[in-house]
Amino acid sequence: MATGTTPPGPDGLPLIGNTHQWARDPCAFRERAADYGRVVGFEIMGWDAYMLTEPGDIEAVLTDEHGRFEKHDESTEQLEEFVGQGLLNSEGELWERQREAIQPAFFMEQIKRYGDIMVDRAEAAVDRLSRGVSVDVQEQMLRTTLEILVECMFGEDIDLEARGLYDAVEAVQEPLQPANQPVTFLVPDWVPVPMRRRAQRAQAHIEREIDDILRERRWSDSDRNDLLAMLLNSDAPMSDQQIRDEMLTFLFAGHETTALTLTYVWDLLSRTPDAEARLHEELDDVLAGRPTVEDVFAFEYTEAVVREAMRLYPAAHEIRRQPVEDVEIGGYTLPEGSLVVLPTWVLHRDERFWDEPEQFRPERWLGDADRPAFAYFPFGGGPRRCIGQQFAMTEAQLVVATMADRVTFEREYDDLELSAAVTLQPKTTVQMRPRFR
Ligand code: HEM
């Protein structure tokens, strides 16, 4: 294996390489490609791609060697119009300064204050259900996580509906939905398709609303504990533009990912009565009334349910990087400017690390397991790991506990079809019928 040679990989076509195979089913394509070995070469959308399949190599890219990689150009360009230069999208000194300034807002001490909001909104989600009337569970979870996030960001006095924020957030994300991917990726940006115009108008609306809130708050000296207050009172002063980008980043990175995880939890529980029964047992045992953040520390099975759902269906189904210089891995050169794919989906279902990887078995998370750290990385790793990891884990467990304590869901569809868009999305409408316990 000589350094500099092209790694093995699936055959492609002239000009388009493997783009057609990728576009048809990215999850199946990456699983097949993984059989070629430690470093797999292919070509998508004009990029020379290098997919890594060894946890140790993935760990190196995200941790020890992270300085030799940046976020990939294609992802950052796509994100730029939604979140500007927020934490998810920035690099170098700006990123370092912002990460340090924002980190305290996500310490566990701070997240504990958000517990009540999380439980309140989950209770509201149950209150919206009527016995036997089926609902789109994904839609319900999107609404719930958006309500939680906005209240944690801005406090309770922001009326999402009155400010038109529900509709705007939905419209902004419309081009990213699986059914709209062909238009989003194949029709050039300058073509004014109505969906794009709606998304642009909605984006402008959200930005105006955030600016309004920011202006009001700059002039009031209220003693608040929300995320915005943490940023306004940070030791490193931030411009309004920077705060707005960070708020947009939290909205973009922090509500759909958690909503998807919760949606998958309800789907998987409805297919696995033993797991559901065990979850109920733990809730009956631990909860003394309404769930609290303290209960989260006592949960074992509830946490395992969330972890296992994220193993099978990681909302961030892959992480992309771009080497800023040539990097050697496994005897191959990953050239500067190429696309490096860290395929979360593939590692999470790799038989070397998981018995019966297709099975939903929360039990596998109870007790110690002997597997490499980066066989599982739903929140990434290293300095750029998800800043909202504790927030999301606390939120997911509190929403599952609050809702599962009162209600179960019965599927009205058979198979759950998936689409690996920007995030891993159900193609199927996740229509379910609630039953109160
Ligand atoms: C289940 C829910 C979530 C999942 C699966 C998830 C996943 C991820 C992943 C994989 C990354 C790393 C991306 C990379 O390295 O390229 C990331 C970064 C990030 N996430 Fe999350 N996330 C979740 C929830 C949240 C929440 C609730 C927030 C905020 C409220 C958030 C904010 C961020 C931010 C700001 C970054 C960028 C961090 C940086 O580069 O310094 N995420 N997330």
Side-chain angles (χ1 to χ4, degrees):
M1 200 192 322
T3 295
T5 54
T6 309
D11 288 336
L13 294 172
L15 294 177
I16 62 167
N18 306 88
T19 307
H20 59 303
Q21 299 157 352
W22 176 284
R24 199 176 312 131
D25 186 346
C27 291
F29 173 77
R30 285 175 301 203
E31 277 178 45
R32 280 197 308 275
D35 291 339
Y36 286 86
R38 178 169 168 186
V39 184
V40 187
F42 48 84
E43 193 193 321
I44 45 167
M45 320 270 268
W47 295 97
D48 285 331
Y50 296 80
M51 186 174 91
L52 307 183
T53 62
E54 281 300 327
D57 293 339
I58 293 170
E59 180 168 12
V61 170
L62 293 177
T63 61
D64 293 345
E65 302 280 327
H66 81 95
R68 306 175 74 190
F69 297 87
E70 286 188 341
K71 297 280 176 112
H72 193 261
D73 276 354
E74 196 176 76
S75 327
T76 38
E77 274 162 29
Q78 246 185 29
L79 274 180
E80 177 88 30
E81 59 181 293
F82 297 112
V83 299
Q85 286 285 303
L87 208 48
L88 192 62
N89 220 24
S90 51
E91 296 284 352
E93 263 178 51
L94 173 63
W95 170 77
E96 239 170 81
R97 199 177 61 233
Q98 286 301 106
R99 177 93 192 193
E100 206 183 308
I102 296 173
Q103 193 71 60
F106 287 93
F107 287 161
M108 200 57 210
E109 274 316 297
Q110 187 62 24
I111 289 169
K112 278 185 183 167
R113 303 179 205 267
Y114 301 141
D116 265 349
I117 298 177
M118 294 166 176
V119 174
D120 273 353
R121 301 333 304 165
E123 283 185 335
V126 179
D127 293 342
R128 281 197 299 273
L129 301 171
S130 308
R131 188 190 173 81
V133 179
S134 82
V135 289
D136 177 341
V137 166
Q138 186 183 359
E139 192 180 289
Q140 293 302 315
M141 292 300 96
L142 278 168
R143 175 170 179 168
T144 304
T145 57
L146 184 61
E147 285 176 352
I148 290 172
L149 191 60
V150 168
E151 198 168 328
C152 292
M153 281 164 63
F154 301 122
E156 62 190 351
D157 39 4
I158 299 300
D159 186 336
L160 279 169
E161 223 133 5
R163 287 184 179 255
L165 282 171
Y166 274 128
D167 296 343
V169 170
E170 198 177 303
V172 165
Q173 300 207 325
E174 200 187 349
L176 303 177
Q177 298 312 310
N180 299 325
Q181 295 277 307
V183 177
T184 307
F185 292 111
L186 299 178
V187 182
D189 284 350
W190 50 265
V191 179
V193 262
M195 173 179 72
R196 244 181 220 151
R197 282 210 305 266
R198 269 198 303 278
Q200 282 158 353
R201 274 200 303 271
Q203 176 77 21
H205 178 74
I206 297 173
E207 290 178 12
R208 269 197 311 274
E209 287 296 322
I210 294 181
D211 285 347
D212 271 1
I213 298 171
L214 200 51
R215 241 191 326 274
E216 287 160 23
R217 294 283 292 272
R218 281 263 190 226
W219 293 108
S220 66
D221 50 5
S222 60
D223 195 14
R224 286 168 177 264
N225 262 321
D226 51 45
L227 272 169
L228 177 57
M230 299 285 293
L231 264 57
L232 283 168
N233 299 330
S234 155
D235 291 338
M238 295 174 209
S239 66
D240 282 2
Q241 168 80 42
Q242 191 64 44
I243 293 186
R244 183 175 84 183
D245 286 359
E246 300 302 356
M247 291 288 137
L248 286 166
T249 299
F250 298 150
L251 273 183
F252 182 86
H255 99 280
E256 196 212 15
T257 39
T258 317
L260 287 167
T261 302
L262 288 164
T263 304
Y264 295 131
V265 165
W266 301 123
D267 172 84
L268 288 162
L269 287 175
S270 79
R271 292 171 193 280
T272 327
D274 291 353
E276 190 169 56
R278 212 166 152 184
L279 172 70
H280 290 153
E281 254 170 54
E282 176 166 279
L283 297 179
D284 293 346
D285 243 21
V286 173
L287 300 182
R290 191 181 132 95
T292 64
V293 168
E294 278 61 43
D295 295 329
V296 174
F297 296 105
F299 289 152
E300 286 178 3
Y301 202 76
T302 311
E303 180 179 350
V305 163
V306 173
R307 282 191 187 285
E308 181 70 345
M310 286 197 294
R311 181 185 68 78
L312 275 169
Y313 300 125
H317 53 91
E318 71 174 24
I319 292 181
R320 292 182 170 197
R321 288 290 186 271
Q322 182 166 306
V324 292
E325 60 188 14
D326 289 359
V327 179
E328 304 294 322
I329 289 189
Y332 296 103
T333 303
L334 280 42
E336 176 186 350
S338 59
L339 166 63
V340 176
V341 176
L342 313 178
T344 319
W345 170 274
V346 171
L347 271 291
H348 283 194
R349 289 166 177 254
D350 190 323
E351 280 177 343
R352 291 176 297 169
F353 314 121
W354 311 98
D355 290 339
E356 299 186 282
E358 308 278 323
Q359 299 297 314
F360 176 65
R361 294 216 325 243
E363 293 72 21
R364 66 173 98 234
W365 293 99
L366 307 176
D368 295 330
D370 184 22
R371 67 176 74 92
F374 280 71
Y376 183 73
F377 54 106
F379 294 103
R384 299 214 65 154
R385 74 193 171 283
C386 179
I387 204 170
Q389 174 171 349
Q390 301 273 20
F391 183 105
M393 285 302 295
T394 307
E395 175 184 12
Q397 290 178 71
L398 284 177
V399 173
V400 168
T402 307
M403 294 185 69
D405 195 38
R406 291 174 56 193
V407 74
T408 62
F409 289 101
E410 210 172 87
R411 268 170 299 123
E412 293 201 328
Y413 54 92
D414 290 326
D415 295 332
L416 185 70
E417 279 191 60
L418 296 171
S419 163
V422 175
T423 47
L424 186 72
Q425 305 249 0
K427 256 195 242 173
T428 317
T429 307
V430 188
Q431 198 70 27
M432 297 181 115
R433 198 176 287 277
R435 277 171 191 266
F436 290 89
R437 291 181 69 212

